[in-house]
Amino acid sequence: MTASGGRPVDEGTGAGTAAGDTVAAVVRQWRAVRPGLDTGPMEIIGRINRCAALLQQAEDAPLRRAGLSRAEFDLLGALRRTGHELTPGELARETFSSGAAVTKRLKQLTERGLVERRGDTRDRRVAHLRLTDAGRDLVDGILPEQLAYETAVLSGMDGPRRDDLAALLGELLGQLEGRLDALRA
């Protein structure tokens, strides 16, 4: 059976599944031992987690060739796209990272001459960070290559389906960012 758009449909739930999808196999196993369970959430969250794991394993080839991790590039990118100095706390918020992780990455990026730090004139505890010319050149040089790499990773989906997926993920992310703290309590 197929859903509108020609995707295979799992007869048990009507949910779209992909051939060879490891999450679909897990769902079938759960249905065999616990047929009454609603595995719908697992089908979404499991696939998002599996996609994230596979993308992390690929390690972003252009970034790797430049000697950068995704997290380091995210810091450099935040400094570049905002266009002004940021404090470590602001960088942590911009990149959804912990303060400790940002501090560690900034130390490495500073040692490589990609980021420079300036102390605050009023409060010595505060640092202001900005890209060096080398950092700006690296980001500007690698971003087009990284975007081409990401386009290639997604090349199996046509433009409208990618747009739909981006919109759905944006909607989910907006909901999660607004509700997860309440669910943790």
Side-chain angles (χ1 to χ4, degrees):
M1 181 179 211
T2 62
S4 62
R7 292 184 313 271
V9 170
D10 186 308
E11 303 268 340
T13 65
T17 60
D21 179 339
T22 56
V23 173
V26 169
V27 167
R28 282 192 301 275
Q29 290 170 337
W30 275 117
R31 286 195 187 130
V33 297
R34 296 289 308 273
L37 284 179
D38 175 11
T39 59
M42 181 186 299
E43 294 178 59
I44 296 168
I45 293 171
R47 287 186 175 104
I48 290 171
N49 287 336
R50 180 71 177 139
C51 287
L54 289 170
L55 290 169
Q56 285 179 333
Q57 287 174 9
E59 289 189 29
D60 301 311
L63 300 180
R64 190 175 58 247
R65 282 192 297 274
L68 292 172
S69 68
R70 167 60 79 162
E72 290 169 331
F73 184 72
D74 287 347
L75 289 176
L76 295 173
L79 287 167
R80 181 66 174 121
R81 74 174 182 268
T82 60
H84 57 82
E85 294 180 344
L86 296 172
T87 65
E90 290 168 334
L91 265 175
R93 285 188 293 281
E94 281 288 325
T95 60
F96 311 105
S97 301
S98 72
V102 167
T103 298
K104 179 182 175 186
R105 291 178 194 127
L106 284 172
K107 182 179 186 294
Q108 295 166 339
L109 295 170
T110 301
E111 289 172 356
R112 290 180 60 189
L114 301 173
V115 173
E116 60 188 15
R117 119 185 353 255
R118 177 184 63 80
D120 190 282
T121 55
R122 293 178 302 223
D123 186 346
R124 292 180 27 189
R125 296 170 296 172
V126 176
H128 298 275
L129 304 153
R130 67 176 171 220
L131 289 177
T132 62
D133 289 342
R136 185 174 18 273
D137 291 347
L138 179 62
V139 172
D140 288 351
I142 200 169
L143 184 59
E145 187 181 352
Q146 180 64 23
L147 290 172
Y149 171 81
E150 291 175 4
T151 298
V153 167
L154 297 172
S155 66
M157 298 182 86
D158 64 16
R161 290 184 71 201
R162 280 197 318 256
D163 293 345
D164 290 346
L165 179 58
L168 288 169
L169 289 171
E171 183 179 328
L172 175 63
L173 182 58
Q175 289 178 17
L176 292 175
E177 288 176 339
R179 293 192 321 203
L180 269 186
D181 287 335
L183 291 174
R184 287 185 191 129

